[in-house]
Amino acid sequence: MSKTSVDITFNLDRLVRPSIKNISPYSSARDEFSAAGDDLVFLDANENPYGEGINRYPDPYQNDLKSAIARLRKVSPENILVGNGSDEVLDLLFRAFCIPGRSNVVTLPPTYGMYGVLSAVNETAVREVPLDENWQPDPDKIMKAVDEDTRMLFLCSPNNPTGNLMNSAKVKQLLQEFPGLVVIDEAYIDFASKDSWAKQLEKYPNLVVVQTLSKAFGLAGARVGYALTSPKIVGILNTIKPPYNVNALSQSKALETLKNSESANRLLMELEIERAYLVQQLEQLPFVAKVYPSDANFILIRVDDANKRYEQLIERGIVVRNRSRLHGCENTLRITIGSPEENRILTETLSTLSE
Ligand SMILES: *Cc1c(COP(=O)(O)O)cnc(C)c1O
C-alpha cells in the first residue's frame, strides 16, 4: 500500500464542492411531462410552434442517446452523463469537485493539454507527476503528491500524445489507493487492443471514465462526449450542467451513428490498417529516430530536428503537430492517421525531404 502524505480514503461527500451541495437543478416544466409523450399541447417553454423539429428544446437528459451508449458500452443509462464534447464533461468535473484557490489535481505529463487549461480556468493547482521512460504512471510518486485538497487524478489511456495504454496493474493500484476521483480519459479507446475501464464501474466508486464520439465515431463536429461513472456522480454533475447542453441536431446525429455500428466498425478497421502501413513507412525514414507504438489514431515519432521537419511539411502543405515543448517529448511530431490518400501524400512527401 503506498502512502499519501496524510491518511485519507475515498469519500464522495468530502470531495463535492460545498457550494453546490444544496443546489437543486434547473428544471423545465417539460421534464415533468416528457414521459407522457408527444400527445400533449406544449405551451410552457415559449418555443415557436412552427419549425421542423428543432423549434423545440432538446431532451435535457438525452435519454435516447443514453440508451444507445448504454447498449454499446454495456452499462446502465444511470451511469451516463452526456456533454457538449468530452471537454464539457471535464469542465463539469472541475466545477463540481474543485474549490477555486484551494483544491489541486494530479496530471501525468506529457498528456492532453485541456487538463491544465481547465485547472487554470478553475483556479485549481496542478501537481505534475511525469510518466516514466515507458510513458507509464508511477503510483508511489502519485500517492506522495496527494494531500487533503487533492480532488482528481487524470489518466489518459491511450495517452495523447504518446499513443500508449496505461499499464492495467498500475491503474488498478491507483483506483484502489487514490482518495480522489480517478478520471480515465478514453478518447481513443476504440483504436486500442484493450477493453474500456467502464467494465469496472461497480468495483470502483471513485472511477470516472470519459469517452467521446469525436474520434472513432467521426463526429468531432457534433460535440458529443460523455462520462461513465456511478449514478451518484452522474447526479452531482446533472445538478450543475446547463439544461440543454447537447443540441437536438447532435443528439439525433449521434444516435443515427451509434445505430449504424457496421459503418463505424468499417471505419475503425480501415484506420487500423492505415496505422500499420504508416508505422512501417515511418520506420524506414533516415531522420526518424523512433516510432512509438500506438493504440490510438495517431502516431508519435521522434525525429532529428522537429522544428525543421515540421516546417518542411508545412511548406509542402501538410500540417502535423509538433509536440516538442511537452515534457519528455523533445523533437517529436504527432501525426494523425488520415485517409489512405492523405497517408500516401504524407509518406511520399516525407520520403523526398532533404537531410
Ligand atoms: C480529442 C480529445 C478529447 C476531446 O474530445 P471532445 O469530445 O471532442 O471534446 C478528450 N480527451 C483527449 C485525450 C483527446 O485527445
Side-chain angles (χ1 to χ4, degrees):
M1 188 86 179
S2 332
K3 272 272 162 274
T4 60
S5 35
V6 280
D7 204 14
I8 344 167
T9 51
F10 176 74
N11 173 347
L12 191 58
D13 275 345
R14 188 185 69 81
L15 296 176
V16 183
R17 250 172 99 179
S19 61
I20 70 158
K21 273 190 180 156
N22 299 317
I23 300 177
S24 48
Y26 173 87
S27 114
S28 64
R30 196 72 49 86
D31 287 357
E32 296 158 39
F33 299 108
S34 58
D38 300 328
D39 301 334
L40 301 175
V41 177
F42 285 118
L43 302 174
D44 58 308
N46 301 345
E47 295 152 337
N48 193 310
Y50 306 110
E52 291 153 25
I54 53 169
N55 56 316
R56 299 292 177 188
Y57 280 102
D59 174 4
Y61 294 112
Q62 305 101 11
N63 286 316
D64 293 344
L65 181 52
K66 280 183 186 171
S67 302
I69 295 168
R71 266 195 304 279
L72 175 75
R73 299 307 186 193
K74 303 192 169 51
V75 298
S76 143
E78 290 80 56
N79 293 117
I80 306 173
L81 175 108
V82 187
N84 184 24
S86 48
D87 285 347
E88 185 189 36
V89 175
L90 295 170
D91 188 49
L92 287 171
L93 286 166
F94 274 91
R95 293 200 285 129
F97 295 102
C98 296
I99 304 171
R102 173 159 166 198
S103 302
N104 66 75
V105 297
V106 181
T107 67
L108 315 178
T111 194
Y112 186 48
M114 278 307 281
Y115 315 138
V117 172
L118 292 169
S119 301
V121 170
N122 292 284
E123 286 182 72
T124 295
V126 182
R127 301 193 167 175
E128 296 192 322
V129 182
L131 296 171
D132 71 14
E133 66 281 5
N134 299 314
W135 308 129
Q136 291 298 331
D138 183 332
D140 293 338
K141 281 191 190 147
I142 291 169
M143 292 307 287
K144 286 206 181 80
V146 170
D147 66 18
E148 56 274 295
D149 290 318
T150 304
R151 289 292 173 267
M152 296 189 278
L153 164 66
F154 290 93
L155 284 168
C156 189
S157 182
N159 188 39
N160 180 2
T162 58
N164 63 294
L165 285 158
M166 297 292 131
N167 174 282
S168 300
K170 292 182 180 189
V171 175
K172 203 173 277 179
Q173 187 185 344
L174 287 162
L175 283 166
Q176 284 164 351
E177 297 180 1
F178 192 81
L181 298 181
V182 176
V183 181
I184 306 185
D185 187 338
E186 293 187 336
Y188 301 97
I189 193 64
D190 295 293
F191 304 103
S193 50
K194 279 202 181 143
D195 261 356
S196 166
W197 283 93
K199 297 245 162 78
Q200 313 281 327
L201 283 181
E202 302 268 331
K203 217 159 153 191
Y204 302 109
N206 57 343
L207 172 59
V208 182
V209 174
V210 177
Q211 298 182 344
T212 177
L213 301 185
S214 292
K215 310 286 163 59
F217 292 88
L219 293 185
R223 313 303 305 127
V224 180
Y226 51 92
L228 307 174
T229 186
S230 72
K232 268 193 192 157
I233 294 175
V234 170
I236 292 164
L237 299 175
N238 269 335
T239 63
I240 64 163
K241 86 173 182 69
Y244 306 115
N245 61 325
V246 184
N247 73 70
L249 296 175
S250 292
Q251 287 190 45
S252 69
K253 186 68 195 173
L255 199 55
E256 180 195 318
T257 303
L258 291 178
K259 278 188 179 154
N260 194 354
S261 62
E262 221 169 276
S263 93
N265 286 336
R266 214 174 314 119
L267 199 90
L268 273 177
M269 261 160 36
E270 176 181 295
L271 284 168
E272 275 171 34
I273 292 167
E274 285 298 307
R275 179 173 69 195
Y277 161 80
L278 264 188
V279 167
Q280 179 229 334
Q281 296 290 308
L282 291 165
E283 278 172 344
Q284 290 169 22
L285 296 167
F287 57 86
V288 173
K290 186 163 175 75
V291 179
Y292 289 93
S294 172
D295 266 291
N297 70 333
F298 56 82
I299 300 168
L300 189 74
I301 59 173
R302 203 179 285 274
V303 297
D304 55 349
D305 180 344
N307 291 340
K308 173 173 145 189
R309 301 306 173 189
Y310 176 80
E311 289 300 332
Q312 285 178 326
L313 285 172
I314 293 280
E315 281 161 19
R316 289 157 181 79
I318 298 174
V319 187
V320 298
R321 195 96 154 102
N322 188 346
R323 296 281 66 189
S324 297
R325 282 195 309 253
L326 297 192
H327 180 95
C329 291
E330 299 76 26
N331 284 320
T332 60
L333 300 173
R334 191 193 68 195
I335 302 170
T336 307
I337 318 291
S339 67
E341 197 197 340
E342 289 171 326
N343 299 333
R344 218 148 296 119
I345 293 170
L346 172 75
T347 54
E348 275 164 22
T349 306
L350 284 169
S351 70
T352 64
L353 292 190
S354 58
E355 283 306 304

